[in-house]
Amino acid sequence: MIRKEEIERAKEYFGNILEEQIERAERIKSSLTPMDFSKIRPIVIGVAGGDGIGPIIVSEAERILKHLLEEEIRKGDVVFKEIEGLTIENRVRVMKAVPDEVLEEIKKTHVFLKGPTHTPSPGDPYPNIESANVALRRELDLFANVRPVKNPLLNIDWTFFRENTEGEYILGSMGLDIGDVSIDFKVITEAGSERIIRMAFDYAKKTGLNRVSVVTKANVVKKTDGRFYRVAERVAKEYPEVKWDHWFIDIFSAKLLDPERRSDFKVIVSPNLYGDILTDEAAQLQGGVGTAGSANIGARYAMFEAIHGTAPRMVKEGRAIYADPESILRASVLMLRHIGFNDKADILEMALDMCSIYERKIVVTGRPGGATTKQYGDYVLSWIENPNLKEEWEKAREAFISKAKRGE
Ligand code: IPM
Ligand code: MG
């Protein structure tokens, strides 16, 4: 009997979910046209340290950004704003993925740089609250997760557009346990798919790359992924100059490792969870997740973050001062581009390439003996200040590639 009541309750629960999701789909349809962040002045940049090694790497990125934007800050075109309280202790205290007052502060920014935040999982000492990332992406409607991955040696230059609010994530904390059966939900909407797919095609067109790969598992997950595929097919018709193809996630993950094929991929667009997995795989080919930055873009807000976690072991062992800030600095490059400071983004990107790939005069290893976060930051600043950065970068890149070709 209990079972029957439980099932009735679950049906009602499902009904409510359905109504909410239909309303959300309507809201997306009428959502704002994306703001052009490069036109907004003053632009407010929020900074949130997060947990674990987060505050250390974020403050280093903030120091470098403030240096790059010195003049804009002085003129009042750029304003920095510290966001306090996005910590696991504070989030657990109010039992919310993002405390209300923190969210209010974030909403006073245009873009914000976020350190990694602890995501409790089963077996964790903290209660199993929702991931702050997932909640922020949903609350601020940051629908596009844009993750570039490059490796000149492997001849890869990919830009992933991962749908960032739907799929398995949107109701990831809203599944059901009934008796021995557990059920989660996956939601994909027409408008939610269209806005990310359109962004990928726009990017392919604007950059002249003119090539988009759409990744799903539509042969098995027929409704949700099937819709994502159909939307891609429809949107693609509006971009006759862009060549596109469709891949299943399994074979696509294999092809990313195929030296014969992988250089063909340019712009990749996929539903949420596949994008999560693919971007870690891709980042590994660039040198690891610590080397990649991530942009979470919405119509009104944008959040930039490292793609690695909080490294609790480093903190416990007293090694936090040796944390590598490369990933958050790569995210800072994406942020500078997003707010229209392309020249400064180029400078920071070239300086990072010199410090982490080409010259590597000092190396962060995460341990004593390696450089500290701050020493690495000083190294990056020295390249930023170097008047020959561009020529040195070009020379170093050339030398690096030919050395690798000779197999040295
Ligand atoms: C990422 C992370 C997050 C995700 C986690 C921390 C919830 O893996 O940004 O890729 O799955 O999206
Ligand atoms: Mg991930």
Side-chain angles (χ1 to χ4, degrees):
M1 240 31 234
I2 298 283
R3 187 56 50 85
K4 196 144 192 236
E5 274 166 30
E6 258 184 290
I7 291 175
E8 284 311 311
R9 259 207 313 275
K11 283 189 196 163
E12 200 185 317
Y13 180 76
F14 182 62
N16 293 338
I17 281 185
L18 212 51
E19 271 172 34
E20 271 168 32
Q21 291 304 312
I22 291 168
E23 269 169 36
R24 189 180 62 83
E26 285 303 315
R27 274 203 306 278
I28 301 179
K29 262 196 252 169
S30 60
S31 66
L32 318 164
T33 26
M35 282 193 332
D36 182 353
F37 288 69
S38 67
K39 303 248 158 57
I40 299 168
R41 298 292 180 265
I43 186 124
V44 181
I45 302 178
V47 180
D51 301 310
I53 58 167
I56 290 183
I57 58 170
V58 169
S59 66
E60 201 51 36
E62 186 177 359
R63 180 167 79 103
I64 292 172
L65 282 168
K66 282 185 169 160
H67 179 86
L68 276 164
L69 295 167
E70 207 176 321
E71 191 164 333
E72 289 71 16
I73 296 172
R74 199 165 33 77
K75 283 195 299 196
D77 284 347
V78 171
V79 176
F80 275 81
K81 179 176 168 53
E82 307 298 320
I83 310 285
E84 309 286 344
L86 192 64
T87 58
I88 185 68
E89 294 79 12
N90 201 28
R91 289 154 54 215
V92 163
R93 192 174 52 78
V94 293
M95 284 303 280
K96 270 198 116 158
V98 181
D100 294 342
E101 66 279 9
V102 178
L103 189 60
E104 281 319 302
E105 287 302 295
I106 291 174
K107 285 187 174 169
K108 292 181 192 152
T109 72
H110 296 107
V111 295
F112 79 108
L113 193 65
K114 178 190 146 296
T117 39
H118 182 72
T119 301
S121 49
D124 204 270
Y126 292 108
N128 204 2
I129 56 171
E130 191 186 21
S131 142
N133 279 37
V134 174
L136 283 166
R137 291 166 184 169
R138 186 185 58 240
E139 294 300 321
L140 303 173
D141 201 22
L142 307 174
F143 66 87
N145 193 319
V146 185
R147 294 180 164 177
V149 169
K150 286 187 198 146
N151 186 332
L153 294 184
L154 305 179
N155 197 18
I156 58 178
D157 191 346
W158 299 325
T159 307
F160 289 87
F161 288 80
R162 161 189 176 190
E163 201 292 319
N164 210 22
T165 47
E166 305 198 327
E168 289 83 349
Y169 280 66
I170 182 106
L171 297 170
S173 302
M174 307 282 283
L176 286 178
D177 283 320
I178 298 183
D180 288 345
V181 178
S182 297
I183 293 194
D184 277 313
F185 303 103
K186 171 166 176 170
V187 186
I188 281 186
T189 66
E190 187 82 10
S193 307
E194 180 162 343
R195 59 184 178 172
I196 185 74
I197 291 169
R198 203 170 273 290
M199 196 187 243
F201 275 84
D202 278 340
Y203 179 82
K205 184 175 164 182
K206 186 181 80 192
T207 52
L209 291 167
N210 286 335
R211 171 90 206 251
V212 174
S213 301
V214 178
V215 183
T216 73
K217 187 76 187 179
N219 52 340
V220 175
V221 190
K222 293 193 188 290
K223 290 291 176 239
T224 48
D225 285 4
R227 183 181 292 272
F228 197 86
Y229 170 73
R230 284 199 313 279
V231 174
E233 206 174 30
R234 173 166 64 76
V235 170
K237 291 205 178 87
E238 294 174 40
Y239 297 82
E241 61 279 74
V242 179
K243 238 175 82 188
W244 77 287
D245 47 16
H246 173 243
W247 294 80
F248 296 129
I249 177 72
D250 48 353
I251 187 64
F252 191 76
S253 341
K255 289 296 164 193
L256 287 187
L257 305 180
D258 179 351
E260 302 290 309
R261 294 303 297 277
R262 62 182 165 205
S263 306
D264 296 345
F265 304 129
K266 304 288 177 213
V267 178
I268 299 111
V269 61
S270 73
N272 205 341
L273 183 59
Y274 308 140
D276 177 43
I277 299 165
L278 282 178
T279 51
D280 269 14
E281 184 194 359
Q284 190 61 39
L285 292 171
Q286 174 179 271
V289 291
T291 65
S294 166
N296 300 268
I297 316 266
R300 171 63 189 80
Y301 301 100
M303 167 173 96
F304 298 82
E305 56 182 350
I307 87 171
H308 57 72
T310 58
R313 200 167 339 129
M314 283 186 78
V315 179
K316 220 168 97 200
E317 294 170 7
R319 293 186 283 114
I321 57 162
Y322 299 101
D324 190 348
E326 184 183 352
S327 181
I328 196 80
L329 285 164
R330 297 274 176 198
S332 308
V333 171
L334 299 174
M335 185 172 83
L336 287 169
R337 285 199 206 294
H338 190 66
I339 57 179
F341 296 117
N342 280 313
D343 295 351
K344 293 179 197 287
D346 289 343
I347 292 173
L348 180 55
E349 189 166 27
M350 285 187 288
L352 289 173
D353 287 351
M354 291 308 287
C355 298
S356 284
I357 308 175
Y358 303 142
E359 190 189 53
R360 303 184 83 221
K361 219 160 61 191
I362 65 163
V363 179
V364 183
T365 61
R367 303 186 167 273
T372 62
T373 315
K374 170 118 192 344
Q375 284 165 339
Y376 179 88
D378 287 338
Y379 183 29
V380 172
L381 283 170
S382 74
W383 270 112
I384 288 175
E385 283 304 300
N386 189 320
N388 301 323
L389 171 62
K390 186 146 199 281
E391 295 101 77
E392 295 294 329
W393 177 85
E394 274 162 4
K395 266 204 313 226
R397 186 173 194 274
E398 201 79 351
F400 184 75
I401 294 172
S402 56
K403 206 164 136 188
K405 282 205 180 120
R406 292 196 306 270
E408 286 171 31

